[in-house]
Amino acid sequence: MSSDIFRSKEHTMTSTADLSPAERQRFIMNWLAEKPNIAVSDIVRRFSVSEVTARHDLISLESEGKLRRVRGGAVSLSRSNAISYPEERINIQVEAKEAIAATAATLVDDGDVLVIDIGTTGFYFAKALMDKREITIITGDLAIANYASFNLPNASVVLLGGSVRKGHLYLAGALTLDCMSKLHADKAFVSADGFHPDHGFTVEHDFSAMIKHMYLTNSNQGYMMVDQGKFNKTSFYQSAQIDDLDGIIIDGDDEGIMTAAIESSRRHPKLYIAK
C-alpha cells in the first residue's frame, strides 16, 4: 500500500505520539476518503502505536458504521458497499429515502424476522438497522444481502433463490416466488414506483408486483416505504392497495394525497411521516 498520503499530510502534524484516539480516527477517515483501503501497519507506522491500538481504532470506526474491517486493515464503505443500482438511481431523493429508512427502522424490534424489498429505498433501510439485535433479513436483493453480511454483525441473512436480472443484481422468477412461499416473517418493508389514490401502489414489472404481494401476504405486518415524489404516478402493475398494509412511511404529504387516501380506506393503516 502506498504511503504517499502520509507524506502529503506530514506538514499538518508535527507530532503524532500524543494524538488522541479521535484524532487518529479522523486521519484514518481522511485516508479512506482518498484511498480505498488502509492497513493496520500503516496506522502503526504513522502514529507509533501498537497493533492492538490500531485495531481498536478500526473497531471503533466500524461500530460507528464508518468503515468495514478486513484482514489486515479496513476498506471504505463506498468500496465495500458497491451496490447494484445504476448511479443515477442511488442518487435520486437521497435525503427523502434516508429519512424514510430511519423512521422505518424505529418499527423494527430486536429479534424480528424482516423481509426487505429490492431497490434503493430498501438498501437505505438496511443501512438504518445497525443498532438492531438478533434480527433476520430475508431479501432477493444481492446488494442488501452483501451490505448486511458485512456491516450488520447482529443480523442473519436469508437470500432468496432465483435468476439474477441482468444489470440489476437482484433475484427474480418462479424460483424466487417458490422460496418466499415457504417463508414467513414478522414484518415486510416494501416500496413502489408510484402511488395513485385510484390505482394503489404500482410497479413497472409484473414479477415485482407478484413478489411484493407475497412479501406482504407472508408477513404478520406490512409496511410501504415511498417518497411523495411518487404520488399521483401510476406504473403498469398494481403491487398493493392501502388496505393491504399496516403502515405507510413517507417523507411528507404536502398536498394531503396520502392522508386523504388513508382516511377513505377501510383498514386505515397508520401513516408515518419521516422528519
Side-chain angles (χ1 to χ4, degrees), residues 85 101 104-105 108 112-129 132 135-145 147-148 152 155-160 170 180 185 187-191 211-212 215-216 219 223 225:
Y85 317 113
V108 175
D112 273 348
V113 177
L114 309 174
V115 178
I116 303 182
D117 199 3
I118 64 171
T120 56
T121 303
F123 183 81
Y124 283 117
F125 172 58
K127 291 181 69 175
L129 299 175
K132 304 302 177 181
I135 61 173
T136 298
I137 294 172
I138 301 169
T139 188
D141 190 306
L142 298 176
I144 291 172
Y147 177 85
L152 301 181
S156 300
V157 181
V158 176
L159 183 62
L160 298 173
Y170 66 78
M180 189 61 219
K187 296 162 186 172
F189 291 84
V190 300
S191 56
I211 192 64
K212 291 171 195 286
Y215 287 160
L216 295 171
S219 300
Y223 297 93
M225 304 181 295

Side-chain angles (χ1 to χ4, degrees), residues 93-260:
Q93 297 289 340
V94 173
E95 290 185 3
K97 291 175 181 178
E98 288 180 334
I100 289 169
T103 298
T106 66
L107 304 175
V108 175
D109 297 313
D110 290 345
D112 273 348
V113 177
L114 309 174
V115 178
I116 303 182
D117 199 3
I118 64 171
T120 56
T121 303
F123 183 81
Y124 283 117
F125 172 58
K127 291 181 69 175
L129 299 175
M130 183 70 69
D131 296 332
K132 304 302 177 181
R133 299 289 181 265
E134 305 304 322
I135 61 173
T136 298
I137 294 172
I138 301 169
T139 188
D141 190 306
L142 298 176
I144 291 172
N146 176 70
Y147 177 85
S149 176
F150 285 113
N151 298 285
L152 301 181
N154 295 298
S156 300
V157 181
V158 176
L159 183 62
L160 298 173
S163 301
V164 177
R165 185 166 182 245
K166 290 184 178 180
H168 291 271
L169 292 182
Y170 66 78
L171 301 170
L175 183 56
T176 312
L177 289 168
D178 183 63
C179 288
M180 189 61 219
S181 72
K182 296 177 172 63
L183 301 174
H184 192 89
D186 295 304
K187 296 162 186 172
F189 291 84
V190 300
S191 56
D193 297 327
F195 171 76
H196 193 284
D198 296 333
H199 307 295
F201 298 93
T202 54
V203 292
E204 183 177 353
H205 302 289
D206 57 347
F207 171 77
S208 293
M210 289 187 288
I211 192 64
K212 291 171 195 286
H213 179 74
M214 186 171 289
Y215 287 160
L216 295 171
T217 300
N218 286 21
S219 300
N220 294 334
Q221 298 174 20
Y223 297 93
M224 178 65 67
M225 304 181 295
V226 61
D227 63 83
Q228 64 175 329
K230 295 175 181 176
F231 293 178
N232 277 343
K233 294 183 179 179
T234 303
S235 199
F236 292 112
Y237 300 94
Q238 184 183 87
S239 60
Q241 300 182 56
I242 284 183
D243 287 329
D244 296 327
L245 303 164
D246 294 280
I248 301 171
I249 307 145
I250 61 178
D251 62 316
D253 193 16
D254 295 344
E255 298 179 11
I257 293 170
M258 188 64 71
T259 300

